[in-house]
Amino acid sequence: GEKYMFSATAPTNHYSNSEYPNYLYSPVYQSWDMSDPARPKLLDTWHREGQVQGETAAYRKNPRCGNRTSWMGARMPLFIPTPVEQGGKIGFAALAGFGVSILDISDPANLRELGHVDIPPSVAGTEADNIDVSQYERTGYIYVSGYPLTEDCYEPYKDIFQIDARDPAKPRIVGALPRPKP
């Protein structure tokens, strides 16, 4: 909304380590200087090891490797509690089957990972798609969930995980929200 933009993208065909059969990419994150919207400037591209062709060993360590179900990579831009222009330093990267990474965004030209937490695999194949950061600055907690792939939502239940991110270097799952009762 101001000078910097953080987007989810697969900038080349090399960002393609993915399990979901009808989507060929594993989107990563880019930062852009939007000072002149007519001439945006790419500042940095960041990815979790295993997302790019040639990072086979890292990809094979992921328990989803070979399941032909899991979405792998970003679907949303970074989740940022406070914009960089207002002093924000933290961005949360929802990377589906690659989990959640906490990034230092204080220098948008040098994105770096501060911490990471893996999300338990889901038979639905959708993990870590959305992050609610609305309570982060007050509590240090974020809430992470997958979202439906089918139009009618007729698919397995997806937990909403509560993650303690007070120490960005050591985020950890501390619970899941109770499952709604009909």
Side-chain angles (χ1 to χ4, degrees):
E2 295 183 33
K3 180 178 179 178
Y4 299 108
M5 177 178 75
F6 299 90
S7 62
T9 183
T12 70
N13 289 340
H14 296 95
Y15 295 81
S16 60
N17 286 346
S18 184
E19 291 298 319
Y20 202 70
N22 68 356
Y23 194 76
L24 304 176
Y25 301 103
S26 181
V28 301
Y29 289 99
Q30 289 186 332
S31 55
W32 291 82
D33 181 332
M34 300 299 291
S35 299
D36 180 356
R39 291 177 190 79
K41 290 181 3 187
L42 175 63
L43 298 174
D44 199 8
T45 299
W46 178 89
H47 75 282
R48 183 100 178 124
E49 188 178 13
Q51 287 188 267
V52 180
Q53 288 176 8
E55 298 176 347
T56 308
Y59 188 71
R60 286 191 177 143
K61 289 180 185 175
N62 193 305
R64 295 156 191 84
C65 181
N67 75 5
R68 304 287 295 150
T69 302
S70 292
W71 185 276
M72 306 296 282
R75 285 199 252 202
M76 303 286 200
L78 284 178
F79 295 85
I80 301 172
T82 302
V84 173
E85 298 84 356
Q86 296 172 21
K89 298 177 186 312
I90 301 279
F92 294 93
L95 293 161
F98 285 107
V100 173
S101 288
I102 301 175
L103 303 182
D104 177 344
I105 61 169
S106 60
D107 176 5
N110 184 29
L111 302 176
R112 63 183 182 86
E113 185 178 80
L114 298 172
H116 179 81
V117 63
D118 287 319
I119 303 297
S122 166
V123 294
T126 54
E127 306 105 7
D129 290 313
N130 293 297
I131 301 177
D132 178 349
V133 298
S134 65
Q135 303 303 306
Y136 176 72
E137 299 211 334
R138 188 173 63 82
T139 67
Y141 289 87
I142 60 172
Y143 297 87
V144 176
S145 66
Y147 66 78
L149 288 174
T150 61
E151 289 179 13
D152 60 5
C153 300
Y154 188 72
E155 55 192 62
Y157 179 75
K158 293 158 190 72
D159 283 308
I160 299 173
F161 294 101
Q162 181 183 34
I163 295 177
D164 180 345
R166 290 176 292 181
D167 179 353
K170 297 178 184 170
R172 60 191 179 91
I173 297 173
V174 294
L177 294 184
R179 191 172 186 160
K181 294 184 181 183

